[in-house]
Amino acid sequence: MAIPRVIILSEIMRGKTFELTKDLYTIGRTDDKDVVIPDGTISTLHCELIKDGDSYIALDKNSTNGTRINGIKITEQKLCNSDILQVGGIEILFDSEDKANTTSITTQTAIDLEHSAGSFAKGKMSNIDRTKSGQVPGEETKKSKKAFIIVISFLVLVVIALLILLMQKLLS
């Protein structure tokens, strides 16, 4: 069997490979760790990889930004071939070449289409395409400018009327 390894997938160190030959590996952002990743989303001691038979267990060490495997937050979980270990904002591929122990990666979404579809009223969505609601794009802006001019004109007339009244009082 080939030696298990982790491969950094994220841009900061993309392609950097660490072969796992020891029983314990520490992952963090400081130089005293086995796997050093100088990234602000990673804690000083973010997680550990502990040998478990032919594989490893990922153990979060109370990191600030958490440890995830295939997008799911974990505190401790066995790694399977092709798992994506995420420490902070960095993604790492676990490659054990043990094809019998492979995780199938699925896309997850937090959108519940059955329940959220009813929350959108058709009338509220008519503003997406103004041409369907009878309005021409830009027409609303023209109306706003026209209303602004009318309000300003009215205020100017009020000020003029007050000035005239004031002048009459002063002259009398």
Side-chain angles (χ1 to χ4, degrees):
M1 181 174 145
I3 297 171
R5 60 190 178 157
V6 290
I7 305 164
I8 309 288
L9 300 176
S10 296
E11 188 174 339
I12 189 169
M13 294 174 62
R14 183 173 291 143
K16 178 78 173 163
T17 301
F18 299 88
E19 288 191 348
L20 305 177
T21 57
K22 301 187 311 184
D23 289 341
L24 174 70
Y25 282 87
T26 55
I27 298 176
R29 71 168 185 256
T30 56
D31 292 334
D32 60 333
K33 304 304 177 270
D34 298 307
V35 178
V36 179
I37 305 173
D39 183 81
T41 64
I42 298 191
S43 296
T44 303
L45 174 57
H46 199 98
C47 72
E48 292 178 341
L49 301 180
I50 304 164
K51 188 164 178 112
D52 180 39
D54 292 336
S55 189
Y56 281 82
I57 293 173
L59 176 66
D60 183 76
K61 299 302 284 183
N62 296 317
S63 61
T64 303
N65 293 313
T67 301
R68 299 178 183 277
I69 295 179
N70 301 326
I72 299 169
K73 192 170 186 171
I74 60 105
T75 52
E76 181 178 333
Q77 183 173 322
K78 185 173 183 173
L79 288 164
C80 296
N81 184 52
S82 77
D83 274 348
I84 303 295
L85 173 67
Q86 183 178 349
V87 290
I90 304 298
E91 290 186 335
I92 303 169
L93 173 70
F94 177 72
D95 179 21
S96 68
E97 294 189 16
D98 179 7
K99 304 305 179 202
N101 193 15
T102 300
T103 301
S104 65
I105 299 174
T106 59
T107 302
Q108 298 179 5
T109 180
I111 299 172
D112 182 356
L113 295 176
E114 288 191 28
H115 293 94
S116 63
S119 67
F120 294 110
K122 288 182 183 178
K124 290 182 181 178
M125 295 185 71
S126 65
N127 64 349
I128 291 173
D129 186 357
R130 298 255 185 227
T131 57
K132 288 186 179 178
S133 65
Q135 291 179 324
V136 178
E139 184 178 333
E140 193 171 296
T141 305
K142 288 179 186 176
K143 287 181 182 178
S144 297
K145 287 180 182 178
K146 192 181 253 186
F148 180 74
I149 291 171
I150 290 171
V151 168
I152 295 296
S153 299
F154 176 75
L155 289 174
V156 167
L157 288 174
V158 169
V159 169
I160 291 173
L162 289 173
L163 287 173
I164 291 173
L165 288 172
L166 184 62
M167 294 288 280
Q168 286 178 348
K169 285 236 183 222
L170 291 173
L171 293 176
S172 7

